[in-house]
Structures are given as C-alpha cells and as structure tokens.
Amino acid sequence: MLIPGAVFAAVAPVAPPVQDLGEPYISISPDYFYPLEEVLYIEGRGDPRAVVTVTLRADNQPPVKFTAVPDSTGEWVVAEKTYLRGGNWEVRARQSVGAIISDWSNPRIIRSVVTGVNVFGLRIRYVVIAGVIFAFLSILGVVLLYFRKKIKTLRRGLMEKQLQAAEERFDHGFAEIRKELMDQLRDLAQSAKRRALTTKEIEQRDRVLAEIEKLEHELHHDIGNIEKGME
C-alpha cells in the first residue's frame, strides 16, 4: 500500500561479503623478456574488489614484486620497466581483499635475456659496447698507422744522414788513399820513362790499381746496404 506524500530513497545494492577468495589468473606473460629493450608486460584476471600482488622469483635472486588493481571486469595489468638478471623467473600472483588473502595463482616461466651490462647503475647494451670497442680499435689503428709512417719518415731521414755521412767519410778517405796511390803510380811512370819496369814494380802497379778498384766496389756495396735499410 502506498502512502500519499511518502518519499522513498534509492538504496544501492550491497556487495556480498567475501567468504572464499579464489586465486587470480595470469593470462598473458612473455616467454622471453629483454630487460634493456622492452617493458615487462603481464596480464590476468582477478576479483574486481581485490588488490593483486605479482611476484617474480629466480634462484639466488631477491624477488621482484608489483601491485595491480583489477578494473570493474576483473582485468589487471602489470606494465613496468624493470631489470631482471638473465635466467628463468617464475611468476605467480595472489590477491587480497582486506585481511583475506588468496592462494598463489598458476605459475608462469619468463626467461630473461640480458643484452648488456650494468655498470654502476648504468645499463649499457652489448651492441653499444661493441660499437665503442670498434671505434676504439679504429682510432688505435689510425694512430698506429700514423706513428708507423712517422717512424718510417724519421728512419728514412736518419738513413739519409747516415748515407751522407758515409759518403763524406769515404770521399775524404778515398781522396787521401787515391793521392798516395797516384803518387806511387806517378813514380812508377817516371821510372818507366828511364828504363823498363821490373817485375816487382809491375806487381806494385797492378796492386795499386786493384786497391783502387776494390775501394770503389766497397763504396757501392756500403751505399747499397744503406739504401736497402731505407726501404
């Protein structure tokens, strides 16, 4: 029976109290995760009233935890930029409403593939390291070529100085020896005008001429050796 003039307030439906909270479900997770190149993405379903805790565990590593809040349909997502050391990580999730906590969900395995190194908190990819090493080796090669050319130039200059010094020493020594030998030949020539040369004098003349020829041969040999060293 309706009472005239009475006002009725709309009452929202009250959600039933949580009695038995089931575990959430992980529906999507990567089989392979590249921590230096992408975002970790895990998706699942749970109770719309709950808070979902996602935990990743690996041998000899501290656990990594994330928190997600399901939407009105129960869908929850974890999308985080994080670093996981290389290896297999077991992923599980559980949810809680107040003091009620569910069991752990179905496990999923994620294999983390590290493509770089962590240096003092700075994460550097292997491809960057390879590029730096290549650039360093290229610069080192250019420097080595420069110094090799520089040393070759200095060596050539040193050899030229040695060659010049050798020629000057030889010219000086040869001039003195040649003067002495020519004096002996001149004496022999004067003797030949007055009389026939003796056998001993002829041998002396031939020996003088042979010594001159020997000195010239040694000069060409020494100069040739120095020039080879300059190549």
Side-chain angles (χ1 to χ4, degrees), residues 3-142:
I3 301 175
V7 178
F8 295 92
V11 179
V14 178
V18 177
Q19 300 293 337
D20 184 15
L21 187 63
E23 66 272 12
Y25 175 75
I26 298 175
S27 57
I28 296 176
S29 68
D31 293 327
Y32 291 89
F33 173 58
Y34 299 88
L36 297 182
E37 302 174 15
E38 59 188 15
V39 172
L40 177 63
Y41 184 87
I42 302 173
E43 183 180 316
R45 292 183 60 85
D47 193 302
R49 299 166 295 179
V51 175
V52 177
T53 300
V54 180
T55 302
L56 293 86
R57 299 179 185 274
D59 293 339
N60 303 320
Q61 299 295 332
V64 179
K65 295 183 180 181
F66 302 102
T67 299
V69 178
D71 60 17
S72 59
T73 63
E75 300 285 345
W76 57 265
V77 173
V78 171
E80 297 286 344
K81 183 65 177 177
T82 188
Y83 180 78
L84 300 178
R85 291 185 179 274
N88 292 332
W89 290 76
E90 183 186 78
V91 185
R92 289 179 180 268
R94 68 180 178 182
Q95 57 187 349
S96 62
V97 177
I100 302 176
I101 302 175
S102 72
D103 293 331
W104 288 104
S105 70
N106 56 307
R108 302 292 292 265
I109 300 298
I110 297 176
R111 183 169 182 78
S112 178
V113 180
V114 179
T115 57
V117 295
N118 194 335
V119 181
F120 302 111
L122 181 63
R123 295 163 185 169
I124 307 174
R125 297 174 60 187
Y126 290 135
V127 65
V128 175
I129 297 175
V132 171
I133 292 175
F134 177 78
F136 173 77
L137 292 177
S138 299
I139 294 173
L140 181 61
V142 172

